[in-house]
Amino acid sequence: MKTIAVDLMGGDHAPEVVVEGIKSALEKYDNLKIKAYGTAGSWTDNHDRVEFIEVTEVITSEDDPVRAVRRKKDSSIVRAAKAVKDGEADAFVSAGNTGALLTAGLFVIGRIKGIERPALASMIPTTSEKGMLMLDLGANSENKPNHLLQFAHMASIYMENIIGRKNPKIGLINNGSEDIKGTPLTKETHQLLKESNLNYSGFFETRDVLTGKYDIGVTDGFTGNVILKTIEGTASSILGEVKKIFLSSFFNKLSALAVKKDLSKLKDVMDYRQFGGAPLLGVNGHVLKAHGSSDALAIENAIRNAITMAESDAIEKIKEAISTDE
């Protein structure tokens, strides 16, 4: 039985969709217990595998992350993170303020010894339908070569132990595939990765992010966040334009009926909900960031992923890898 701490107050549609996602997860997973953190009235049902913990403060998307975590000690994010720190929960899921979640991960739970910077990772949908794990997606605005090397080690362990993809192929995101291209950061990281025992395949350009050629894409936090937001915006715009085209005339509507199944498949390929949240790798506990606009299905899948993380020994393997690398 695994206990997952869930922030009821995080996300654009909280607490309703979070509650709905928890209920769906409880129906599917008999080995699941929930510690639900929220304000009065956010959880009203009685369930023998749910413990509701009432909090008096909420960290909003407008709050300064560091100040909020330091001052709002009785918020759902801080209390849930403390449950992981104290061993009362095996993992923590939130769709709330990303900065506050990262801060709570660092200040409340703490980093794994030897990890210089934690990284926010996420499975990116690909046309091959298997997805690619990309990191860092914004936990750090600036990075050093050794940070990116550690990101690659952590991502490889996560892919093997959580996703189940053995010996994952790693690429370093760059402005070209040639060794002479890149910034000092990418060039130095490239050399470190070539000398490592990882399955490193060299530089790759952002045009290959969605192809599925690589299992893991490593980059600095600023670049990763820009890529992620660009993908989300592009996917949304393209799907919106396709919809407008098919609704523009009677004959186009008939055509849409003929390809409805294929269009649904395309939409599913770009659906972030299927991957179940972004893990914060490098902290000494399992922390998952669900998308801010998560619906109940996304929350359910984030809880599913949290269970898998809690059942793995990924953190111990990260500690071993970092120790060996030192």
Side-chain angles (χ1 to χ4, degrees):
M1 189 74 71
K2 294 300 177 183
T3 300
I4 310 301
V6 180
D7 169 19
L8 294 179
M9 312 312 298
D12 300 340
H13 310 294
E16 291 81 10
V17 299
V18 184
V19 170
E20 187 180 344
I22 288 173
K23 291 178 180 178
S24 297
L26 287 165
E27 290 180 5
K28 285 191 175 181
Y29 308 111
D30 295 333
N31 63 333
L32 171 65
K33 285 185 178 180
I34 295 288
K35 292 176 76 72
Y37 293 81
T39 56
S42 56
W43 181 273
T44 56
D45 291 8
N46 290 321
H47 195 291
D48 60 357
R49 286 187 282 134
V50 176
E51 178 187 0
F52 172 61
I53 297 93
E54 184 177 330
V55 300
T56 58
E57 297 173 301
V58 175
I59 296 177
T60 69
S61 58
E62 290 78 26
D63 281 333
D64 176 83
V66 176
R67 185 178 295 122
V69 169
R70 286 176 173 170
R71 294 182 178 181
K72 295 185 176 182
K73 302 293 187 183
D74 198 41
S75 62
S76 50
I77 286 179
V78 174
R79 291 284 301 278
K82 192 173 185 302
V84 173
K85 171 69 174 178
D86 294 342
E88 297 173 0
D90 299 297
F92 168 32
V93 172
S94 174
N97 185 314
T98 302
L101 186 69
L102 298 176
T103 302
L106 279 173
F107 293 169
V108 179
I109 299 174
R111 285 178 298 178
I112 293 172
K113 184 179 179 181
I115 293 293
E116 297 179 26
R117 298 279 181 88
L120 192 63
S122 181
M123 290 296 292
I124 305 297
T126 62
T127 53
S128 66
E129 299 184 21
K130 66 177 184 177
M132 181 189 79
L133 186 70
M134 187 167 73
L135 73 171
D136 178 24
L137 297 181
N140 312 274
S141 57
E142 296 181 2
N143 290 110
K144 296 178 181 179
N146 194 55
H147 299 161
L148 271 60
L149 174 64
Q150 291 188 342
F151 294 170
H153 275 294
M154 293 191 293
S156 184
I157 291 167
Y158 181 86
M159 285 295 281
E160 290 199 358
N161 290 271
I162 309 300
I163 306 301
R165 208 175 298 174
K166 300 303 180 183
N167 198 30
K169 183 179 179 181
I170 299 169
L172 182 62
I173 295 173
N174 196 27
N175 65 334
S177 58
E178 302 88 349
D179 285 1
I180 61 171
K181 289 190 175 181
T183 64
L185 173 63
T186 56
K187 288 179 180 178
E188 290 178 41
T189 304
H190 177 57
Q191 191 59 40
L192 289 176
L193 286 167
K194 285 201 298 184
E195 295 169 358
S196 74
N197 60 354
L198 297 167
N199 184 14
Y200 177 59
S201 296
F203 290 136
F204 75 100
E205 299 179 63
T206 52
R207 65 186 177 190
D208 287 325
V209 166
L210 299 181
T211 63
K213 291 181 180 178
Y214 296 85
D215 298 302
I216 296 168
V218 176
T219 188
D220 62 278
F222 179 84
T223 303
N225 192 264
V226 171
I227 293 172
L228 178 66
K229 297 295 174 59
T230 301
I231 291 172
E232 289 179 344
T234 302
S236 177
S237 297
I238 290 175
L239 290 173
E241 288 302 309
V242 170
K243 183 177 180 181
K244 280 176 19 180
I245 290 170
F246 278 116
L247 294 178
S248 63
S249 71
F250 173 74
F251 291 106
N252 283 9
K253 289 178 182 178
L254 290 178
S255 300
L257 289 174
V259 296
K260 183 178 180 181
K261 185 176 180 180
D262 292 322
L263 288 174
S264 296
K265 185 178 180 181
L266 173 63
K267 185 178 179 181
D268 290 342
V269 166
M270 304 307 295
D271 190 355
Y272 69 88
R273 299 177 303 170
Q274 62 181 304
F275 294 116
L280 179 59
L281 301 179
V283 295
N284 198 23
H286 301 296
V287 178
L288 268 170
K289 172 66 176 71
H291 201 289
S293 60
S294 290
D295 61 8
L297 177 61
I299 296 296
E300 176 194 322
N301 286 336
I303 292 172
R304 176 208 69 210
N305 207 12
I307 295 170
T308 304
M309 289 175 68
E311 289 177 338
S312 76
D313 57 351
I315 288 180
E316 292 306 315
K317 289 189 176 181
I318 289 173
K319 290 178 180 178
E320 181 182 342
I322 298 305
S323 174
T324 301
D325 191 53
E326 290 176 339

